[in-house]
Amino acid sequence: MNKIKNLILRFYRNDVIRYVFFGGCTTLVNLASFYLLRKCGLGLTPANIISIIAAILFAYVVNSKYVFQDKCRTLRDHIRPFCKFISARLITMVVEVGGVWLLVEIFRMNDMLGKFLTQFIVLVLNYIFSKFFVFTTGRYQKGR
């Protein structure tokens, strides 16, 4: 039992592993909301934008608290990193919306496949922005 606990702690101490796990959860929020909005008859771009916004809000909470363990204690403490997070995510949102549009409208790919494929580029860019630009006050420290 102790070996399992140590293995879990070792994985938890790695921010890349935490990011991949919560990034996967964020991607599920994005894809599921996109799928539901499309099934409800919403157009490609509006469904894409709304699903990205839902994923961005979810991602801020889990990245701040669990992945990068930012030291924000009050709502006021969150204002600056949230604005930086939104700015970075707006950049990747342009990449995602443009990528989905390109794959679906120009290359005639299935909309869910186009959405899924763009997630890989967006995931890498979001990690880089979050680690080096947004969440800079809560570096994980061993022994905590």
Side-chain angles (χ1 to χ4, degrees):
M1 190 62 158
N2 228 5
K3 286 183 180 185
I4 294 172
K5 180 181 176 184
N6 288 335
L7 181 66
I8 291 170
L9 285 174
R10 188 170 56 131
F11 282 129
Y12 187 74
R13 286 188 179 116
N14 186 319
D15 66 349
V16 173
I17 291 173
R18 289 192 312 266
Y19 186 81
V20 169
F21 173 77
F22 286 110
C25 294
T26 300
T27 300
L28 287 176
V29 168
N30 192 340
L31 292 173
S33 57
F34 179 75
Y35 177 80
L36 290 172
L37 291 167
R38 290 292 284 157
K39 286 295 179 188
C40 290
L42 203 57
L44 178 70
T45 301
N48 198 17
I49 291 170
I50 292 168
S51 68
I52 293 168
I53 290 169
I56 286 171
L57 294 174
F58 175 81
Y60 178 77
V61 172
V62 297
N63 282 323
S64 176
K65 186 170 177 113
Y66 301 111
V67 177
F68 298 106
Q69 301 174 343
D70 215 27
K71 299 292 185 214
C72 298
R73 297 288 181 232
T74 66
L75 183 59
R76 185 176 180 173
D77 292 342
H78 280 283
I79 292 172
R80 187 166 187 211
F82 183 74
C83 289
K84 288 167 42 173
F85 186 82
I86 294 300
S87 298
R89 293 298 168 117
L90 285 175
I91 292 167
T92 58
M93 182 176 171
V94 169
V95 171
E96 185 171 347
V97 169
V100 170
W101 178 84
L102 184 70
L103 293 174
V104 173
E105 297 296 334
I106 303 300
F107 292 102
R108 300 292 180 210
M109 193 177 284
N110 172 278
D111 60 352
M112 285 304 295
L113 181 59
K115 178 81 169 168
F116 180 76
L117 291 175
T118 60
Q119 297 306 298
F120 293 102
I121 296 166
V122 169
L123 182 74
V124 171
L125 290 173
N126 284 337
Y127 177 78
I128 291 167
F129 287 145
S130 292
K131 178 150 180 103
F132 298 107
F133 175 66
V134 178
F135 299 111
T136 57
T137 64
R139 299 288 184 231
Y140 187 81
Q141 298 171 8
K142 289 182 180 179
R144 203 170 91 170

